[in-house]
Amino acid sequence: MINQTFYPEFGILLVDDEASFLRSLSITLERNGGITHIHRCSDSRNVMDILQQESIGLILLDLTMPHISGQQLLQRITEQHPDISVIIISGLNHVESAVKCLQQGAFDYFVKTSEEGRLIEGIKRAIRMQEMRRENQALGQRILNNNLENPHVFDPIISCSKQMRAVFQYLESVAPSNQPLLICGESGTGKELLAKAAHQLSNRAGPLVSVNVAGLDDNVFADTLFGHQRGAFTGAERSRAGLIEEAAGGTLFLDEIGDLSMASQVKLLRLLQEGEYYPLGSDRPKRIRARVIVATHQELQQRQAEGSFRRDLYYRLCTHQIHIPPLRQRKEDLPLLLEHFLAQAAQEMDKPVPSYPPELPVLLSNYNFPGNIRELRALIFDALSQHRSHLLSMEVFRQVIGKNIEMTEHPTDQLNNSPSHFNAEEPLPTLAQMDSLLVEEALRRANNNQSLAARLLGISQPALSKRLKKARPGE
């Protein structure tokens, strides 16, 4: 298991012949940048051996050192370890030296007297670039091999969909990152299950702490996340840690982030940008030591256009973004979900698992499930609660799906607002031709079940039989 008290996941090697500078730089990075995965080297002759033994992703390198100069080391590192980023931190404030180092492949160049905040931001930028490079490599490898390294983590998410498998592969690649993860999808698609999988894949030692932020006003949001000091407000008789502190070393999951007020959005943006927060009533900041995952069913880009969601917060959140396809776009999952929820409902209700009519999956496949998997589960549980005979009744399903079909029989508004379904350069089909086409399409969708096809067409089964006899007189 990865020790997630370290940030970042890969090691950062500090190379300088002054041991005192190495100590002070280590303390600065940890206290002000939250960067703890640090290796130190005061003898430049040992650097290449360290790179062979440790998983180093970033080197902070001095130029003026005995034995092997920083310039020589930079050349060796870029030749033998081109995947490692190098930042020069030198006592020399020479433009020529900086240009030469950048031409040799250094990621950045800082003078030792540079402003502390600017230095830390430059190092964090290099860390983010290195993380993205590693994630892209891992993702590409998984897609090429079409494999999952930890398929058991996704067992609670019932799916055989290729779209969902791509989501799982992406999640495996980005789960170890410390950058925020944005999970988008309609209500009932399983965003919380995916957040749990991301936490499990990250191997973080701390807990997964979840909170639904929808409807929280600014004060409650701040108190919930940041906590407060004793006497911060009326009734605050003792200090209380916020959820950020509870999630230390783990994951903080904020659900329904699209419903946050603008004032709370500003607080969240500062938390993500600065990596620190102030408990209510305190003037001393604390560092966040948890990975942040957020989820929403809202279209955040549309919310930005409306002015109700900050653009800068959106771009900060979507460093890693996952969209869960709705159930209507992965109907191949319906048989699996039907079996799973029937077994689950039977266990909870202490009933035997019933068999079901073969036309039930066909009926379900002709429904769009606006409530997604949550709605399907509720339908199955409702049907089993009323179940009395050996075969599961379809009545519960027909009542809900039948209403949906009736509501969509004549979608006048959609027809009025949509482009023509016919090619203007071709002659219109006759009514008889259209009648035949509709019947054939309904039978295809109903898997040749005439009762269901008639329901889809909004006619009785005898009326459908008459049309079939006219269309297929020899049968």
Side-chain angles (χ1 to χ4, degrees):
M1 179 176 286
I2 298 170
N3 185 349
Q4 288 294 332
T5 58
F6 284 149
Y7 168 72
E9 181 188 4
F10 52 83
I12 297 178
L13 178 62
L14 314 185
V15 184
D16 197 295
D17 59 312
E18 297 180 25
S20 59
F21 177 74
L22 289 178
R23 283 195 300 271
S24 64
L25 182 57
S26 299
I27 293 169
T28 298
L29 294 180
E30 183 171 355
R31 286 183 179 175
N32 301 327
I35 299 167
T36 56
H37 199 168
I38 294 173
H39 301 265
R40 296 185 292 194
C41 177
S42 58
D43 189 334
S44 57
R45 293 171 295 186
N46 299 331
V47 169
M48 302 310 290
D49 289 337
I50 293 173
L51 298 186
Q52 292 292 337
Q53 298 164 9
E54 304 289 344
S55 176
I56 302 297
L58 175 63
I59 300 174
L60 308 185
L61 180 64
D62 184 27
L63 282 184
T64 310
M65 293 182 291
H67 309 302
I68 304 175
S69 71
Q71 203 93 41
Q72 292 172 307
L73 267 179
L74 175 61
Q75 186 175 350
R76 292 186 191 179
I77 293 165
T78 52
E79 287 176 358
Q80 299 179 33
H81 300 276
D83 55 324
I84 297 177
S85 300
V86 180
I87 292 179
I88 303 298
I89 302 181
S90 173
L92 301 174
N93 189 8
H94 293 164
V95 174
E96 294 83 1
S97 298
V99 171
K100 190 172 182 180
C101 289
L102 294 174
Q103 287 174 339
Q104 282 187 291
F107 181 84
D108 213 335
Y109 187 105
F110 291 95
V111 180
K112 288 183 178 180
T113 55
S114 296
E115 182 185 342
E116 187 178 283
R118 182 167 160 267
L119 172 62
I120 290 175
E121 274 307 306
I123 294 170
K124 284 187 173 181
R125 185 166 58 250
I127 290 173
R128 287 194 291 269
M129 291 292 291
Q130 188 65 247
E131 285 177 337
M132 290 177 67
R133 182 188 301 168
R134 291 181 172 218
E135 288 156 11
N136 287 337
Q137 288 174 347
L139 178 59
Q141 196 61 42
R142 285 186 177 90
I143 290 174
L144 286 173
N145 297 335
N146 193 30
N147 68 347
L148 290 172
E149 293 182 6
N150 302 280
H152 63 280
V153 172
F154 302 102
D155 286 347
I157 306 172
I158 310 301
S159 179
C160 62
S161 161
K162 290 182 179 178
Q163 294 181 75
M164 289 302 292
R165 185 174 182 84
V167 168
F168 298 162
Q169 289 173 327
Y170 178 78
L171 193 63
E172 274 197 334
S173 299
V174 304
S177 171
N178 282 279
Q179 298 302 312
L181 170 65
L182 171 61
I183 304 175
C184 300
E186 296 177 7
S187 294
T189 50
K191 296 187 289 294
E192 188 169 357
L193 286 177
L194 216 58
K196 289 178 180 177
H199 172 69
Q200 192 173 345
L201 286 167
S202 72
N203 287 326
R204 285 171 165 78
L208 170 67
V209 177
S210 304
V211 58
N212 188 320
V213 299
L216 297 184
D217 65 32
D218 184 46
N219 291 330
V220 175
F221 173 80
D223 187 30
T224 301
L225 260 63
F226 306 148
H228 63 256
Q229 295 291 312
R230 180 182 177 185
F233 50 84
T234 304
E237 297 178 355
R238 58 182 178 179
S239 299
R240 185 183 65 79
L243 296 185
I244 295 174
E245 194 167 336
E246 288 184 20
T251 303
L252 177 65
F253 175 50
L254 307 178
D255 201 3
E256 299 302 349
I257 199 73
D259 295 319
L260 267 185
S261 69
M262 293 298 284
S264 295
Q265 289 178 37
V266 172
K267 288 183 170 62
L268 179 59
L269 176 63
R270 186 184 185 284
L271 173 72
L272 297 174
Q273 281 182 335
E274 306 298 330
E276 62 183 29
Y277 63 97
Y278 289 86
L280 299 182
S282 173
D283 57 0
R284 298 183 64 182
K286 290 187 175 183
R287 294 210 62 81
I288 179 172
R289 302 192 182 278
R291 201 268 182 92
V292 176
I293 298 178
V294 301
T296 181
H297 72 279
Q298 305 270 11
E299 290 288 344
L300 292 187
Q301 290 183 329
Q302 182 181 337
R303 301 268 293 171
Q304 287 178 57
E306 296 167 353
S308 55
F309 200 86
R310 294 180 63 98
R311 186 181 299 272
D312 48 3
L313 176 58
Y314 171 73
Y315 284 109
R316 178 64 66 171
L317 289 173
C318 69
T319 304
H320 302 305
Q321 183 173 358
I322 287 174
H323 177 77
I324 307 178
L327 185 54
R328 63 181 173 275
Q329 292 179 7
R330 47 186 177 104
K331 290 187 176 177
E332 63 269 36
D333 287 341
L334 281 169
L336 283 175
L337 290 165
L338 177 59
E339 296 280 356
H340 173 74
F341 288 134
L342 274 176
Q344 191 179 81
Q347 183 178 11
E348 288 190 19
M349 298 179 193
D350 197 22
K351 291 183 176 183
V353 179
S355 54
Y356 53 83
E359 58 266 32
L360 178 56
V362 182
L363 177 67
L364 295 175
S365 69
N366 282 280
Y367 182 50
N368 278 338
F369 287 98
N372 290 290
I373 297 170
R374 186 181 294 129
E375 182 182 10
L376 173 63
R377 182 183 185 277
L379 276 175
I380 293 171
F381 270 65
D382 189 20
L384 195 61
S385 68
Q386 301 178 41
H387 173 64
R388 296 293 179 270
S389 61
H390 174 70
L391 196 66
L392 186 69
S393 170
M394 290 179 57
E395 190 55 33
V396 169
F397 303 97
R398 285 198 182 107
Q399 286 176 2
V400 173
I401 296 174
K403 287 178 184 177
N404 178 264
I405 291 172
E406 289 170 9
M407 289 171 64
T408 56
E409 277 178 17
H410 306 290
T412 309
D413 293 339
Q414 291 181 19
L415 288 174
N416 289 340
N417 296 325
S418 64
S420 172
H421 296 280
F422 305 101
N423 190 335
E425 298 178 3
E426 296 179 0
L428 279 172
T430 65
L431 288 175
Q433 289 171 328
M434 287 301 299
D435 187 278
S436 177
L437 286 171
L438 280 171
V439 168
E440 291 299 326
E441 178 62 17
L443 285 169
R444 185 190 68 78
R445 294 190 183 194
N447 200 22
N448 287 318
N449 184 300
Q450 292 188 19
S451 175
L452 180 55
R455 185 180 290 271
L456 290 171
L457 291 167
I459 60 177
S460 65
Q461 189 169 344
L464 176 61
S465 297
K466 285 183 182 179
R467 281 176 165 79
L468 286 173
K469 285 177 183 178
K470 288 175 65 176
R472 307 170 180 176
E475 295 185 9

